[in-house]
Amino acid sequence: MIEIKDKAKCNGCHACVNVCPTDCIGMVRDSEGFLYPKADSDKCVECKKCEEVCPVLNRRYENPASRQEGFAAFALDETLRLQSSSGGIFSLLCEAVLDMGGTVFGAAMTPDFKEVRHISVNNKEELALLRGSKYLQSTVGSCFKEAKELLLSGKPVLFSGTPCQIGGLYAYLGTDFDKLYTVDIICHGVPSPMVWDKYTDFLKSERKAEISDVFFRNKQSGWKTYSLSVGFSDGTRYLKKFREDLFMKGFLADIYLRPSCYECGFKTRLRQSDVTLADFWGIQDIMPELDDDRGASFVWLHSEKGEKLFFSAEGKMNYKELDAEAAILRNSASIKAAQIPPERAGFFSAIKTSPVDKSILKYTAEPAGMRIKKKLSRIKHRLIK
Ligand SMILES: Cc1cc2nc3c(=O)[nH]c(=O)nc-3n(C[C@H](O)[C@H](O)[C@H](O)COP(=O)(O)OP(=O)(O)OC[C@H]3O[C@@H](n4cnc5c(N)ncnc54)[C@H](O)[C@@H]3O)c2cc1C
């Protein structure tokens, strides 16, 4: 029976929940807002499938056969590109699978914008729900089981998610399928849904209105200086650049990532997915001809299936091959786990009694010397450009 003794050893992928033959495992939120499995000992038959399937306990992090091809790319459809976090390549890959009569699994916000859950879509209209990065951990639910049923009936499936979710899917399936396409992301780490929950309550109380839409990667002020955009029922909008928005500041300072993110073994070059997608940070240095600050994806292909899927979108994108290593080295989250900041424990203790804005502000405040140093470095970078 699965029992989580060390939270850093559970990424919340739901493989154990999906594999349990008696459905005795539920996911329960801890005080930080992250989900962990909890088995009902009355229903458990001690088959140990939950422990055997766990990709972390069994250190199933890599695919030794993983290929390393790199491309810079963006969708030619400008609307789609602006609605996407980087170059919109995710939507093109999904469209290809939908055209085959397949199903796409990915992360969507719940209608109240409080949580992110994995869902399946079968048509291009619904694909909009999966578009764009949502910066909180997505709940997989029974999606591994649903994907397996579709694959066993011969249907194509594209499953997208964080590298640990893709690791969980393969651990659950136990094998690859010809018609399974997996797409992961270069993942900074997943922030606490509890912090987001409190943050949205804070934004709502400031506006005295309900939330009507959320987009974490608004490109109005440019892709490289993206903003968090939140629409309200009174027609107003909150729009703040990621460096100025409190939630994004705490997320990018690694203050409230899931404990397992600090020990993530899935951040490897030998990815299990067919395709890894990321922001092509540093494109202005490597391929300035493809940089118009409206978003470019780094497409990292690992298999023949991934390559075929990518090229099936050939007429719908602008792309150029590159040495994958050049993009990997410019993307700090590609192969290195975040470091646990010393402020993390203090933050989670503060947020129990203090308002979310004040807690984030307190634990992300930089000493004045550091702030000035960073500002000077940004100015220097701009001048060099
Ligand atoms: C939590 C998180 C952290 C990220 N960290 C980095 C990073 O450090 N560096 C980097 O270069 N890129 C990072 N990305 C990936 C990047 O933001 C884009 O998602 C990626 O470049 C694909 O963009 P796109 O324009 O092709 O399509 P988009 O439509 O923007 O792609 C959306 C993709 O993200 C998935 N997704 C969205 N939210 C979640 C979620 N909560 N959980 C699981 N999957 C989700 C969707 O299923 C889909 O695969 C991160 C994404 C997320 C969700």
PDB file of all heavy atoms in Angstrom, residues 84-90 106-107 116 130-136 138 160-162 165 185-189 217 277-279 281 297 331 333, ligand 1:
ATOM      1  N   SER A  84      -0.803  31.445 -27.541  1.00  0.00           N
ATOM      2  CA  SER A  84       0.048  30.375 -27.005  1.00  0.00           C
ATOM      3  C   SER A  84       1.208  30.989 -26.221  1.00  0.00           C
ATOM      4  O   SER A  84       1.535  32.163 -26.398  1.00  0.00           O
ATOM      5  CB  SER A  84       0.610  29.534 -28.153  1.00  0.00           C
ATOM      6  OG  SER A  84      -0.433  29.065 -28.984  1.00  0.00           O
ATOM      7  N   SER A  85       1.847  30.153 -25.408  1.00  0.00           N
ATOM      8  CA  SER A  85       2.919  30.690 -24.552  1.00  0.00           C
ATOM      9  C   SER A  85       4.174  31.023 -25.336  1.00  0.00           C
ATOM     10  O   SER A  85       4.780  32.065 -25.140  1.00  0.00           O
ATOM     11  CB  SER A  85       3.278  29.679 -23.473  1.00  0.00           C
ATOM     12  OG  SER A  85       2.145  29.343 -22.761  1.00  0.00           O
ATOM     13  N   SER A  86       4.582  30.097 -26.209  1.00  0.00           N
ATOM     14  CA  SER A  86       5.797  30.386 -26.982  1.00  0.00           C
ATOM     15  C   SER A  86       5.418  30.565 -28.444  1.00  0.00           C
ATOM     16  O   SER A  86       4.818  31.573 -28.797  1.00  0.00           O
ATOM     17  CB  SER A  86       6.869  29.321 -26.741  1.00  0.00           C
ATOM     18  OG  SER A  86       6.421  28.028 -27.053  1.00  0.00           O
ATOM     19  N   GLY A  87       5.721  29.558 -29.306  1.00  0.00           N
ATOM     20  CA  GLY A  87       5.450  29.737 -30.727  1.00  0.00           C
ATOM     21  C   GLY A  87       4.168  29.073 -31.218  1.00  0.00           C
ATOM     22  O   GLY A  87       3.910  29.053 -32.428  1.00  0.00           O
ATOM     23  N   GLY A  88       3.393  28.492 -30.311  1.00  0.00           N
ATOM     24  CA  GLY A  88       2.132  27.873 -30.729  1.00  0.00           C
ATOM     25  C   GLY A  88       2.288  26.501 -31.390  1.00  0.00           C
ATOM     26  O   GLY A  88       1.348  25.995 -32.013  1.00  0.00           O
ATOM     27  N   ILE A  89       3.441  25.886 -31.239  1.00  0.00           N
ATOM     28  CA  ILE A  89       3.659  24.587 -31.899  1.00  0.00           C
ATOM     29  C   ILE A  89       2.798  23.487 -31.277  1.00  0.00           C
ATOM     30  O   ILE A  89       2.341  22.571 -31.957  1.00  0.00           O
ATOM     31  CB  ILE A  89       5.170  24.210 -31.868  1.00  0.00           C
ATOM     32  CG1 ILE A  89       5.981  25.262 -32.637  1.00  0.00           C
ATOM     33  CG2 ILE A  89       5.419  22.815 -32.442  1.00  0.00           C
ATOM     34  CD1 ILE A  89       5.565  25.481 -34.090  1.00  0.00           C
ATOM     35  N   PHE A  90       2.531  23.610 -29.964  1.00  0.00           N
ATOM     36  CA  PHE A  90       1.682  22.615 -29.303  1.00  0.00           C
ATOM     37  C   PHE A  90       0.361  22.436 -30.053  1.00  0.00           C
ATOM     38  O   PHE A  90      -0.059  21.323 -30.353  1.00  0.00           O
ATOM     39  CB  PHE A  90       1.422  23.032 -27.844  1.00  0.00           C
ATOM     40  CG  PHE A  90       0.375  22.216 -27.162  1.00  0.00           C
ATOM     41  CD1 PHE A  90       0.599  20.880 -26.867  1.00  0.00           C
ATOM     42  CD2 PHE A  90      -0.861  22.761 -26.827  1.00  0.00           C
ATOM     43  CE1 PHE A  90      -0.376  20.107 -26.242  1.00  0.00           C
ATOM     44  CE2 PHE A  90      -1.839  22.001 -26.202  1.00  0.00           C
ATOM     45  CZ  PHE A  90      -1.592  20.671 -25.911  1.00  0.00           C
ATOM     46  N   GLY A 106      -4.627  17.154 -22.169  1.00  0.00           N
ATOM     47  CA  GLY A 106      -3.766  18.256 -21.732  1.00  0.00           C
ATOM     48  C   GLY A 106      -4.397  18.993 -20.564  1.00  0.00           C
ATOM     49  O   GLY A 106      -5.475  18.626 -20.065  1.00  0.00           O
ATOM     50  N   ALA A 107      -3.725  20.062 -20.148  1.00  0.00           N
ATOM     51  CA  ALA A 107      -4.122  20.789 -18.942  1.00  0.00           C
ATOM     52  C   ALA A 107      -5.060  21.957 -19.263  1.00  0.00           C
ATOM     53  O   ALA A 107      -4.757  22.777 -20.122  1.00  0.00           O
ATOM     54  CB  ALA A 107      -2.872  21.322 -18.240  1.00  0.00           C
ATOM     55  N   VAL A 116      -6.277  23.600 -12.100  1.00  0.00           N
ATOM     56  CA  VAL A 116      -5.982  23.097 -13.446  1.00  0.00           C
ATOM     57  C   VAL A 116      -6.146  21.584 -13.411  1.00  0.00           C
ATOM     58  O   VAL A 116      -5.668  20.924 -12.488  1.00  0.00           O
ATOM     59  CB  VAL A 116      -4.545  23.470 -13.875  1.00  0.00           C
ATOM     60  CG1 VAL A 116      -4.221  22.876 -15.245  1.00  0.00           C
ATOM     61  CG2 VAL A 116      -4.381  24.977 -13.936  1.00  0.00           C
ATOM     62  N   LEU A 130      -6.827  23.879 -23.868  1.00  0.00           N
ATOM     63  CA  LEU A 130      -5.507  23.332 -23.495  1.00  0.00           C
ATOM     64  C   LEU A 130      -4.375  24.296 -23.819  1.00  0.00           C
ATOM     65  O   LEU A 130      -3.252  24.132 -23.348  1.00  0.00           O
ATOM     66  CB  LEU A 130      -5.245  22.008 -24.237  1.00  0.00           C
ATOM     67  CG  LEU A 130      -6.310  20.925 -24.159  1.00  0.00           C
ATOM     68  CD1 LEU A 130      -5.806  19.649 -24.809  1.00  0.00           C
ATOM     69  CD2 LEU A 130      -6.698  20.649 -22.718  1.00  0.00           C
ATOM     70  N   ARG A 131      -4.688  25.271 -24.662  1.00  0.00           N
ATOM     71  CA  ARG A 131      -3.646  26.196 -25.133  1.00  0.00           C
ATOM     72  C   ARG A 131      -3.130  27.070 -23.989  1.00  0.00           C
ATOM     73  O   ARG A 131      -3.913  27.495 -23.134  1.00  0.00           O
ATOM     74  CB  ARG A 131      -4.259  27.072 -26.230  1.00  0.00           C
ATOM     75  CG  ARG A 131      -3.250  27.669 -27.163  1.00  0.00           C
ATOM     76  CD  ARG A 131      -3.974  28.235 -28.368  1.00  0.00           C
ATOM     77  NE  ARG A 131      -4.461  27.200 -29.276  1.00  0.00           N
ATOM     78  CZ  ARG A 131      -5.624  27.251 -29.929  1.00  0.00           C
ATOM     79  NH1 ARG A 131      -6.439  28.274 -29.787  1.00  0.00           N
ATOM     80  NH2 ARG A 131      -5.972  26.261 -30.729  1.00  0.00           N
ATOM     81  N   GLY A 132      -1.835  27.339 -23.996  1.00  0.00           N
ATOM     82  CA  GLY A 132      -1.260  28.259 -23.007  1.00  0.00           C
ATOM     83  C   GLY A 132      -0.825  27.561 -21.731  1.00  0.00           C
ATOM     84  O   GLY A 132      -1.468  26.610 -21.276  1.00  0.00           O
ATOM     85  N   SER A 133       0.277  28.043 -21.167  1.00  0.00           N
ATOM     86  CA  SER A 133       0.791  27.475 -19.909  1.00  0.00           C
ATOM     87  C   SER A 133      -0.044  27.970 -18.747  1.00  0.00           C
ATOM     88  O   SER A 133      -0.353  29.156 -18.662  1.00  0.00           O
ATOM     89  CB  SER A 133       2.232  27.930 -19.688  1.00  0.00           C
ATOM     90  OG  SER A 133       3.045  27.427 -20.705  1.00  0.00           O
ATOM     91  N   LYS A 134      -0.385  27.029 -17.864  1.00  0.00           N
ATOM     92  CA  LYS A 134      -1.089  27.413 -16.629  1.00  0.00           C
ATOM     93  C   LYS A 134      -0.139  27.098 -15.501  1.00  0.00           C
ATOM     94  O   LYS A 134       0.218  25.926 -15.303  1.00  0.00           O
ATOM     95  CB  LYS A 134      -2.390  26.610 -16.454  1.00  0.00           C
ATOM     96  CG  LYS A 134      -3.456  26.920 -17.486  1.00  0.00           C
ATOM     97  CD  LYS A 134      -3.519  25.832 -18.513  1.00  0.00           C
ATOM     98  CE  LYS A 134      -4.407  26.199 -19.680  1.00  0.00           C
ATOM     99  NZ  LYS A 134      -4.180  25.293 -20.819  1.00  0.00           N
ATOM    100  N   TYR A 135       0.243  28.118 -14.740  1.00  0.00           N
ATOM    101  CA  TYR A 135       1.308  27.914 -13.770  1.00  0.00           C
ATOM    102  C   TYR A 135       0.811  27.439 -12.420  1.00  0.00           C
ATOM    103  O   TYR A 135       0.945  28.127 -11.411  1.00  0.00           O
ATOM    104  CB  TYR A 135       2.154  29.180 -13.673  1.00  0.00           C
ATOM    105  CG  TYR A 135       2.929  29.422 -14.961  1.00  0.00           C
ATOM    106  CD1 TYR A 135       2.928  30.656 -15.589  1.00  0.00           C
ATOM    107  CD2 TYR A 135       3.651  28.388 -15.556  1.00  0.00           C
ATOM    108  CE1 TYR A 135       3.632  30.864 -16.769  1.00  0.00           C
ATOM    109  CE2 TYR A 135       4.348  28.580 -16.744  1.00  0.00           C
ATOM    110  CZ  TYR A 135       4.334  29.823 -17.341  1.00  0.00           C
ATOM    111  OH  TYR A 135       5.019  30.014 -18.509  1.00  0.00           O
ATOM    112  N   LEU A 136       0.235  26.250 -12.416  1.00  0.00           N
ATOM    113  CA  LEU A 136      -0.048  25.524 -11.180  1.00  0.00           C
ATOM    114  C   LEU A 136      -0.199  24.054 -11.543  1.00  0.00           C
ATOM    115  O   LEU A 136      -0.433  23.734 -12.720  1.00  0.00           O
ATOM    116  CB  LEU A 136      -1.272  26.044 -10.423  1.00  0.00           C
ATOM    117  CG  LEU A 136      -2.581  26.264 -11.126  1.00  0.00           C
ATOM    118  CD1 LEU A 136      -3.721  26.107 -10.138  1.00  0.00           C
ATOM    119  CD2 LEU A 136      -2.604  27.681 -11.660  1.00  0.00           C
ATOM    120  N   SER A 138      -1.345  20.571 -12.491  1.00  0.00           N
ATOM    121  CA  SER A 138      -2.577  20.039 -13.060  1.00  0.00           C
ATOM    122  C   SER A 138      -2.890  18.671 -12.445  1.00  0.00           C
ATOM    123  O   SER A 138      -2.001  17.855 -12.226  1.00  0.00           O
ATOM    124  CB  SER A 138      -2.388  19.910 -14.576  1.00  0.00           C
ATOM    125  OG  SER A 138      -3.486  19.263 -15.145  1.00  0.00           O
ATOM    126  N   SER A 160      -0.215  15.303 -23.341  1.00  0.00           N
ATOM    127  CA  SER A 160       0.752  16.364 -23.028  1.00  0.00           C
ATOM    128  C   SER A 160       0.757  16.630 -21.538  1.00  0.00           C
ATOM    129  O   SER A 160      -0.245  16.418 -20.844  1.00  0.00           O
ATOM    130  CB  SER A 160       0.389  17.639 -23.785  1.00  0.00           C
ATOM    131  OG  SER A 160      -0.787  18.198 -23.236  1.00  0.00           O
ATOM    132  N   GLY A 161       1.897  17.096 -21.052  1.00  0.00           N
ATOM    133  CA  GLY A 161       2.005  17.430 -19.636  1.00  0.00           C
ATOM    134  C   GLY A 161       3.436  17.695 -19.236  1.00  0.00           C
ATOM    135  O   GLY A 161       4.326  17.797 -20.092  1.00  0.00           O
ATOM    136  N   THR A 162       3.645  17.787 -17.943  1.00  0.00           N
ATOM    137  CA  THR A 162       5.007  17.992 -17.427  1.00  0.00           C
ATOM    138  C   THR A 162       5.805  16.697 -17.642  1.00  0.00           C
ATOM    139  O   THR A 162       5.209  15.618 -17.811  1.00  0.00           O
ATOM    140  CB  THR A 162       4.954  18.334 -15.928  1.00  0.00           C
ATOM    141  OG1 THR A 162       4.258  17.269 -15.271  1.00  0.00           O
ATOM    142  CG2 THR A 162       4.239  19.645 -15.665  1.00  0.00           C
ATOM    143  N   GLN A 165       4.631  13.910 -15.458  1.00  0.00           N
ATOM    144  CA  GLN A 165       3.338  13.324 -15.838  1.00  0.00           C
ATOM    145  C   GLN A 165       3.523  12.345 -16.997  1.00  0.00           C
ATOM    146  O   GLN A 165       2.885  11.292 -17.039  1.00  0.00           O
ATOM    147  CB  GLN A 165       2.339  14.436 -16.213  1.00  0.00           C
ATOM    148  CG  GLN A 165       1.850  15.198 -14.982  1.00  0.00           C
ATOM    149  CD  GLN A 165       1.125  16.489 -15.306  1.00  0.00           C
ATOM    150  OE1 GLN A 165       1.247  17.036 -16.409  1.00  0.00           O
ATOM    151  NE2 GLN A 165       0.386  16.995 -14.340  1.00  0.00           N
ATOM    152  N   ILE A 185       7.108  19.374 -21.617  1.00  0.00           N
ATOM    153  CA  ILE A 185       7.616  20.752 -21.693  1.00  0.00           C
ATOM    154  C   ILE A 185       8.917  20.826 -20.904  1.00  0.00           C
ATOM    155  O   ILE A 185       9.168  19.978 -20.046  1.00  0.00           O
ATOM    156  CB  ILE A 185       6.596  21.746 -21.066  1.00  0.00           C
ATOM    157  CG1 ILE A 185       6.077  21.172 -19.732  1.00  0.00           C
ATOM    158  CG2 ILE A 185       5.476  22.060 -22.024  1.00  0.00           C
ATOM    159  CD1 ILE A 185       5.107  22.026 -18.991  1.00  0.00           C
ATOM    160  N   ILE A 186       9.722  21.815 -21.216  1.00  0.00           N
ATOM    161  CA  ILE A 186      10.795  22.147 -20.276  1.00  0.00           C
ATOM    162  C   ILE A 186      10.060  22.815 -19.126  1.00  0.00           C
ATOM    163  O   ILE A 186       9.331  23.791 -19.324  1.00  0.00           O
ATOM    164  CB  ILE A 186      11.841  23.078 -20.917  1.00  0.00           C
ATOM    165  CG1 ILE A 186      12.676  22.274 -21.928  1.00  0.00           C
ATOM    166  CG2 ILE A 186      12.728  23.709 -19.844  1.00  0.00           C
ATOM    167  CD1 ILE A 186      13.827  23.041 -22.559  1.00  0.00           C
ATOM    168  N   CYS A 187      10.205  22.244 -17.935  1.00  0.00           N
ATOM    169  CA  CYS A 187       9.332  22.660 -16.821  1.00  0.00           C
ATOM    170  C   CYS A 187      10.141  23.308 -15.703  1.00  0.00           C
ATOM    171  O   CYS A 187      11.014  22.672 -15.115  1.00  0.00           O
ATOM    172  CB  CYS A 187       8.582  21.425 -16.313  1.00  0.00           C
ATOM    173  SG  CYS A 187       7.513  21.766 -14.915  1.00  0.00           S
ATOM    174  N   HIS A 188       9.814  24.541 -15.421  1.00  0.00           N
ATOM    175  CA  HIS A 188      10.470  25.258 -14.319  1.00  0.00           C
ATOM    176  C   HIS A 188      10.179  24.566 -12.990  1.00  0.00           C
ATOM    177  O   HIS A 188      11.008  24.547 -12.078  1.00  0.00           O
ATOM    178  CB  HIS A 188       9.910  26.691 -14.293  1.00  0.00           C
ATOM    179  CG  HIS A 188      10.535  27.550 -13.267  1.00  0.00           C
ATOM    180  ND1 HIS A 188      11.610  28.348 -13.534  1.00  0.00           N
ATOM    181  CD2 HIS A 188      10.257  27.727 -11.945  1.00  0.00           C
ATOM    182  CE1 HIS A 188      11.973  28.978 -12.432  1.00  0.00           C
ATOM    183  NE2 HIS A 188      11.157  28.620 -11.453  1.00  0.00           N
ATOM    184  N   GLY A 189       8.974  23.973 -12.889  1.00  0.00           N
ATOM    185  CA  GLY A 189       8.454  23.397 -11.651  1.00  0.00           C
ATOM    186  C   GLY A 189       7.009  23.823 -11.543  1.00  0.00           C
ATOM    187  O   GLY A 189       6.589  24.745 -12.249  1.00  0.00           O
ATOM    188  N   ARG A 217       0.352  34.134 -20.045  1.00  0.00           N
ATOM    189  CA  ARG A 217       1.418  34.529 -20.962  1.00  0.00           C
ATOM    190  C   ARG A 217       0.955  35.557 -21.998  1.00  0.00           C
ATOM    191  O   ARG A 217       1.122  35.372 -23.200  1.00  0.00           O
ATOM    192  CB  ARG A 217       1.957  33.266 -21.666  1.00  0.00           C
ATOM    193  CG  ARG A 217       2.555  32.221 -20.735  1.00  0.00           C
ATOM    194  CD  ARG A 217       3.844  32.701 -20.104  1.00  0.00           C
ATOM    195  NE  ARG A 217       4.807  33.045 -21.113  1.00  0.00           N
ATOM    196  CZ  ARG A 217       5.752  32.215 -21.571  1.00  0.00           C
ATOM    197  NH1 ARG A 217       5.861  31.009 -21.075  1.00  0.00           N
ATOM    198  NH2 ARG A 217       6.606  32.606 -22.506  1.00  0.00           N
ATOM    199  N   LEU A 277       8.563  20.631 -25.719  1.00  0.00           N
ATOM    200  CA  LEU A 277       8.358  22.007 -26.179  1.00  0.00           C
ATOM    201  C   LEU A 277       8.803  22.980 -25.084  1.00  0.00           C
ATOM    202  O   LEU A 277       8.656  22.695 -23.902  1.00  0.00           O
ATOM    203  CB  LEU A 277       6.889  22.267 -26.494  1.00  0.00           C
ATOM    204  CG  LEU A 277       6.301  21.494 -27.672  1.00  0.00           C
ATOM    205  CD1 LEU A 277       4.800  21.757 -27.772  1.00  0.00           C
ATOM    206  CD2 LEU A 277       6.994  21.860 -28.984  1.00  0.00           C
ATOM    207  N   ALA A 278       9.310  24.115 -25.523  1.00  0.00           N
ATOM    208  CA  ALA A 278       9.759  25.121 -24.553  1.00  0.00           C
ATOM    209  C   ALA A 278       9.768  26.485 -25.203  1.00  0.00           C
ATOM    210  O   ALA A 278       9.632  26.615 -26.421  1.00  0.00           O
ATOM    211  CB  ALA A 278      11.167  24.777 -24.071  1.00  0.00           C
ATOM    212  N   ASP A 279       9.934  27.492 -24.373  1.00  0.00           N
ATOM    213  CA  ASP A 279      10.196  28.820 -24.896  1.00  0.00           C
ATOM    214  C   ASP A 279      11.625  28.798 -25.432  1.00  0.00           C
ATOM    215  O   ASP A 279      12.516  28.254 -24.770  1.00  0.00           O
ATOM    216  CB  ASP A 279      10.116  29.853 -23.760  1.00  0.00           C
ATOM    217  CG  ASP A 279       8.688  30.090 -23.321  1.00  0.00           C
ATOM    218  OD1 ASP A 279       7.978  30.787 -24.048  1.00  0.00           O
ATOM    219  OD2 ASP A 279       8.295  29.569 -22.262  1.00  0.00           O
ATOM    220  N   TRP A 281      14.186  30.645 -25.237  1.00  0.00           N
ATOM    221  CA  TRP A 281      14.905  31.778 -24.642  1.00  0.00           C
ATOM    222  C   TRP A 281      16.296  31.845 -25.270  1.00  0.00           C
ATOM    223  O   TRP A 281      16.946  30.832 -25.501  1.00  0.00           O
ATOM    224  CB  TRP A 281      15.023  31.633 -23.125  1.00  0.00           C
ATOM    225  CG  TRP A 281      13.708  31.547 -22.401  1.00  0.00           C
ATOM    226  CD1 TRP A 281      13.379  30.664 -21.423  1.00  0.00           C
ATOM    227  CD2 TRP A 281      12.532  32.382 -22.565  1.00  0.00           C
ATOM    228  NE1 TRP A 281      12.090  30.878 -20.966  1.00  0.00           N
ATOM    229  CE2 TRP A 281      11.557  31.930 -21.654  1.00  0.00           C
ATOM    230  CE3 TRP A 281      12.210  33.461 -23.396  1.00  0.00           C
ATOM    231  CZ2 TRP A 281      10.288  32.514 -21.551  1.00  0.00           C
ATOM    232  CZ3 TRP A 281      10.951  34.033 -23.299  1.00  0.00           C
ATOM    233  CH2 TRP A 281      10.010  33.569 -22.382  1.00  0.00           C
ATOM    234  N   SER A 297       9.090  28.780 -30.291  1.00  0.00           N
ATOM    235  CA  SER A 297       9.226  27.549 -29.512  1.00  0.00           C
ATOM    236  C   SER A 297      10.568  26.901 -29.798  1.00  0.00           C
ATOM    237  O   SER A 297      11.044  26.913 -30.938  1.00  0.00           O
ATOM    238  CB  SER A 297       8.133  26.541 -29.902  1.00  0.00           C
ATOM    239  OG  SER A 297       6.853  27.064 -29.674  1.00  0.00           O
ATOM    240  N   ASN A 331      18.445  27.511 -21.427  1.00  0.00           N
ATOM    241  CA  ASN A 331      17.166  27.360 -20.735  1.00  0.00           C
ATOM    242  C   ASN A 331      17.436  26.679 -19.391  1.00  0.00           C
ATOM    243  O   ASN A 331      17.589  25.456 -19.332  1.00  0.00           O
ATOM    244  CB  ASN A 331      16.219  26.525 -21.605  1.00  0.00           C
ATOM    245  CG  ASN A 331      14.773  26.788 -21.270  1.00  0.00           C
ATOM    246  OD1 ASN A 331      14.436  26.944 -20.098  1.00  0.00           O
ATOM    247  ND2 ASN A 331      13.927  26.839 -22.279  1.00  0.00           N
ATOM    248  N   ALA A 333      15.878  25.671 -16.927  1.00  0.00           N
ATOM    249  CA  ALA A 333      15.050  24.589 -16.380  1.00  0.00           C
ATOM    250  C   ALA A 333      15.125  23.302 -17.209  1.00  0.00           C
ATOM    251  O   ALA A 333      14.470  22.319 -16.871  1.00  0.00           O
ATOM    252  CB  ALA A 333      13.598  25.051 -16.302  1.00  0.00           C
TER     253      ALA A 333
HETATM  254  C1  LIG B   1       4.282  24.786 -15.157  1.00  0.00           C
HETATM  255  C2  LIG B   1       5.037  25.110 -16.421  1.00  0.00           C
HETATM  256  C3  LIG B   1       6.388  25.488 -16.344  1.00  0.00           C
HETATM  257  C4  LIG B   1       7.106  25.779 -17.515  1.00  0.00           C
HETATM  258  N1  LIG B   1       8.428  26.132 -17.417  1.00  0.00           N
HETATM  259  C5  LIG B   1       9.130  26.419 -18.527  1.00  0.00           C
HETATM  260  C6  LIG B   1      10.508  26.803 -18.440  1.00  0.00           C
HETATM  261  O1  LIG B   1      11.080  26.907 -17.368  1.00  0.00           O
HETATM  262  N2  LIG B   1      11.190  27.062 -19.615  1.00  0.00           N
HETATM  263  C7  LIG B   1      10.563  26.947 -20.828  1.00  0.00           C
HETATM  264  O2  LIG B   1      11.215  27.205 -21.831  1.00  0.00           O
HETATM  265  N3  LIG B   1       9.276  26.577 -20.934  1.00  0.00           N
HETATM  266  C8  LIG B   1       8.536  26.302 -19.813  1.00  0.00           C
HETATM  267  N4  LIG B   1       7.226  25.918 -19.925  1.00  0.00           N
HETATM  268  C9  LIG B   1       6.682  25.602 -21.261  1.00  0.00           C
HETATM  269  C10 LIG B   1       6.246  26.799 -22.070  1.00  0.00           C
HETATM  270  O3  LIG B   1       5.648  27.765 -21.231  1.00  0.00           O
HETATM  271  C11 LIG B   1       5.230  26.409 -23.164  1.00  0.00           C
HETATM  272  O4  LIG B   1       4.209  25.645 -22.594  1.00  0.00           O
HETATM  273  C12 LIG B   1       5.815  25.613 -24.265  1.00  0.00           C
HETATM  274  O5  LIG B   1       6.834  26.378 -24.879  1.00  0.00           O
HETATM  275  C13 LIG B   1       4.769  25.254 -25.318  1.00  0.00           C
HETATM  276  O6  LIG B   1       4.245  26.419 -25.832  1.00  0.00           O
HETATM  277  P1  LIG B   1       3.416  26.519 -27.183  1.00  0.00           P
HETATM  278  O7  LIG B   1       3.432  27.947 -27.567  1.00  0.00           O
HETATM  279  O8  LIG B   1       3.902  25.516 -28.167  1.00  0.00           O
HETATM  280  O9  LIG B   1       1.957  26.073 -26.834  1.00  0.00           O
HETATM  281  P2  LIG B   1       1.021  26.304 -25.576  1.00  0.00           P
HETATM  282  O10 LIG B   1      -0.357  26.200 -26.069  1.00  0.00           O
HETATM  283  O11 LIG B   1       1.391  27.496 -24.825  1.00  0.00           O
HETATM  284  O12 LIG B   1       1.386  24.987 -24.773  1.00  0.00           O
HETATM  285  C14 LIG B   1       0.684  24.523 -23.712  1.00  0.00           C
HETATM  286  C15 LIG B   1       1.363  23.261 -23.254  1.00  0.00           C
HETATM  287  O13 LIG B   1       1.578  23.269 -21.876  1.00  0.00           O
HETATM  288  C16 LIG B   1       0.825  22.216 -21.257  1.00  0.00           C
HETATM  289  N5  LIG B   1       0.441  22.737 -19.977  1.00  0.00           N
HETATM  290  C17 LIG B   1      -0.086  23.951 -19.710  1.00  0.00           C
HETATM  291  N6  LIG B   1      -0.263  24.084 -18.407  1.00  0.00           N
HETATM  292  C18 LIG B   1       0.124  22.928 -17.836  1.00  0.00           C
HETATM  293  C19 LIG B   1       0.156  22.462 -16.502  1.00  0.00           C
HETATM  294  N7  LIG B   1      -0.241  23.193 -15.482  1.00  0.00           N
HETATM  295  N8  LIG B   1       0.609  21.207 -16.287  1.00  0.00           N
HETATM  296  C20 LIG B   1       1.003  20.425 -17.313  1.00  0.00           C
HETATM  297  N9  LIG B   1       1.018  20.818 -18.591  1.00  0.00           N
HETATM  298  C21 LIG B   1       0.579  22.064 -18.834  1.00  0.00           C
HETATM  299  C22 LIG B   1      -0.282  21.916 -22.205  1.00  0.00           C
HETATM  300  O14 LIG B   1      -0.861  20.673 -22.009  1.00  0.00           O
HETATM  301  C23 LIG B   1       0.556  22.059 -23.499  1.00  0.00           C
HETATM  302  O15 LIG B   1       1.412  20.962 -23.651  1.00  0.00           O
HETATM  303  C24 LIG B   1       6.461  25.662 -18.777  1.00  0.00           C
HETATM  304  C25 LIG B   1       5.110  25.322 -18.841  1.00  0.00           C
HETATM  305  C26 LIG B   1       4.397  25.038 -17.678  1.00  0.00           C
HETATM  306  C27 LIG B   1       2.954  24.639 -17.778  1.00  0.00           C
END
